[in-house]
Amino acid sequence: MVLRRRAAALAAAAVLLLTPAVAACSDDEPATGNQVTTTAPPGMTAQPPGAEEPGAEEPDDPAAAKEEITRNWAAFFDADTPADERAELLENGEEMEAVLDAFAGNPQAAMTAAEVTGVAFTSATGADVTYDLLVGGNPVVPGAHGTAVLQDGTWKVSVKTLCGLVQLSGVTVEGC
């Protein structure tokens, strides 16, 4: 029951945030290979943070990596962050610019934020992230699960996480 409420809240938040983004996307180009191919719910990890296999690698400096992930997730979901900076904080962000540009023009997105509450490394270049999705400072999806990836020396929100939010809204976006 709690999972259904969370899924419904996440879907509602995704629709609120992504409907204008979907309108900006085109189906004229071939897929980029970023389709979600997991048995876990879209945008969610198969295991909750902290449940990775024993002996999973960590980055050289886990504390600095956790701090960067926390900072980058907050900036990615912050409406005041320009779309070009958001693209730099999203895995393969240059391929998702149409979606990110639509965020900039969405008045509801100005009230949305994410607060990272946990990071568990699954490898030296991957992490499970637990976060609260906030609207107007109030959690609408507490304890959501996503993933972060180390790409080009920067910890980024994974395409899988963004596409999971899009898929929960019930729409198809090119690149997801």
Side-chain angles (χ1 to χ4, degrees):
M1 180 103 180
V2 171
L3 289 177
R4 284 186 190 170
R5 277 191 242 143
R6 276 192 186 165
L10 186 55
V15 169
L16 175 73
L17 294 173
L18 299 173
T19 299
V22 172
C25 293
S26 168
D27 290 330
D28 296 336
E29 298 179 21
T32 60
N34 287 330
Q35 283 73 20
V36 176
T37 56
T38 178
T39 56
M44 303 189 115
T45 60
Q47 299 177 26
E52 67 275 356
E53 294 180 26
E57 295 180 36
E58 288 188 337
D60 290 336
D61 187 347
K66 285 181 182 183
E67 181 180 314
E68 182 180 348
I69 290 168
T70 300
R71 183 178 59 250
N72 289 352
W73 274 60
F76 178 79
F77 286 99
D78 185 339
D80 292 332
T81 301
D84 62 332
E85 289 180 31
R86 284 185 184 191
E88 294 174 11
L89 299 173
L90 177 65
E91 175 189 24
N92 302 327
E94 62 282 349
E95 298 171 17
M96 304 295 286
E97 285 186 1
V99 174
L100 297 175
D101 286 342
F103 278 133
N106 182 347
Q108 289 89 4
M111 299 176 10
T112 303
E115 183 177 296
V116 172
T117 58
V119 175
F121 294 101
T122 57
S123 71
T125 59
D128 290 334
V129 179
T130 303
Y131 64 102
D132 295 338
L133 189 62
L134 311 169
V135 174
N138 297 310
V140 292
V141 186
H145 294 250
T147 56
V149 296
L150 182 63
Q151 184 180 55
D152 300 326
T154 301
W155 282 99
K156 302 179 178 189
V157 174
S158 71
V159 168
K160 176 181 166 182
T161 298
L162 180 61
C163 288
L165 290 170
V166 170
Q167 288 178 352
L168 281 175
S169 72
V171 248
T172 301
V173 175
E174 183 65 36
C176 283

